[in-house]
Amino acid sequence: MPDIQAANAAAPLPSAELNLGGTSTSEKQFLTASALNGVAAGQPLVCYVPGANVMKNRPLKIRVGGRVTAVGACTFKLYQGSSSTIASNSNIATTGSLSPSAGAGPCNWGIEIDGCMDSTSNTINGLLKGWVGGATAVAQAILTATAAFTIANASSTLGLTVTGTFATGSASNVAYVDWFEVLPM
């Protein structure tokens, strides 16, 4: 039976709205929301993989997703790292560029990883899948091996962050992260 004490989730959820200023088509990191009207608090929304002694060589599931309304295609990416500078983190999973089904309006998006934390190579390996709205799902694939990481002690953690990109600039584009969790299997 999974050790529920090893489960972890990003907090607070939902994230701040990601609308990229209405016309931006640049990749943006989801941020934590303040207590007032879901306005971005300026800190990356981070979910942590528990320390080495908790998840060492154990299977785990990483789930992230939420709501999106997009004019055209959008892309969501999961990164290893907790830096507010996207380029300082390592992309490990993506939905790819997918358009929600015509007329889908608000719909859900998600990325899921079934994997294992390998304490010998200091990586997370496994399978990923994803989707955006009613669009074609991302075919299950081998997870891009995470960059090697060092967990100094049992209480240290590995941070994960998520980004979104809209292919077409529109004031109608909005996205949120409603779930972001690491679960032992």
Side-chain angles (χ1 to χ4, degrees):
M1 174 171 268
D3 179 1
I4 197 65
Q5 293 177 350
N8 218 350
L13 289 172
S15 69
E17 178 184 295
L18 182 75
N19 79 352
L20 310 182
T23 59
S24 176
T25 56
S26 299
E27 182 177 23
K28 300 291 183 184
Q29 198 168 47
F30 281 93
L31 303 176
T32 58
S34 71
L36 182 62
N37 302 323
V39 175
Q43 298 297 317
L45 181 66
V46 180
C47 185
Y48 292 97
V49 178
N53 287 343
V54 176
M55 295 305 295
K56 180 179 177 180
N57 299 322
R58 292 182 60 188
L60 56 86
K61 181 181 283 284
I62 300 170
R63 297 178 56 227
V64 61
R67 297 164 283 149
V68 62
T69 299
V71 174
C74 52
T75 303
F76 298 98
K77 294 181 179 180
L78 179 64
Y79 284 85
Q80 171 188 329
S82 56
S83 174
S84 60
T85 304
I86 297 169
S88 296
N89 301 323
S90 299
N91 177 236
I92 60 172
T94 182
T95 60
S97 181
L98 296 175
S99 297
S101 297
C107 57
N108 293 111
W109 67 272
I111 296 173
E112 291 187 2
I113 294 172
D114 289 325
C116 181
M117 180 183 280
D118 180 350
S119 65
T120 303
S121 65
N122 286 331
T123 60
I124 296 174
N125 298 286
L127 298 172
L128 72 95
K129 60 185 175 184
W131 69 91
V132 175
T136 303
V138 175
Q140 182 168 287
I142 297 295
L143 174 68
T144 302
T146 62
F149 55 87
T150 300
I151 297 182
N153 57 54
S155 62
S156 295
T157 57
L158 173 66
L160 302 170
T161 55
V162 65
T163 65
T165 307
F166 294 108
T168 304
S170 171
S172 299
N173 291 338
V174 294
Y176 300 89
V177 172
D178 291 314
W179 63 90
F180 195 0
E181 57 197 2
V182 176
L183 305 167
M185 295 189 344

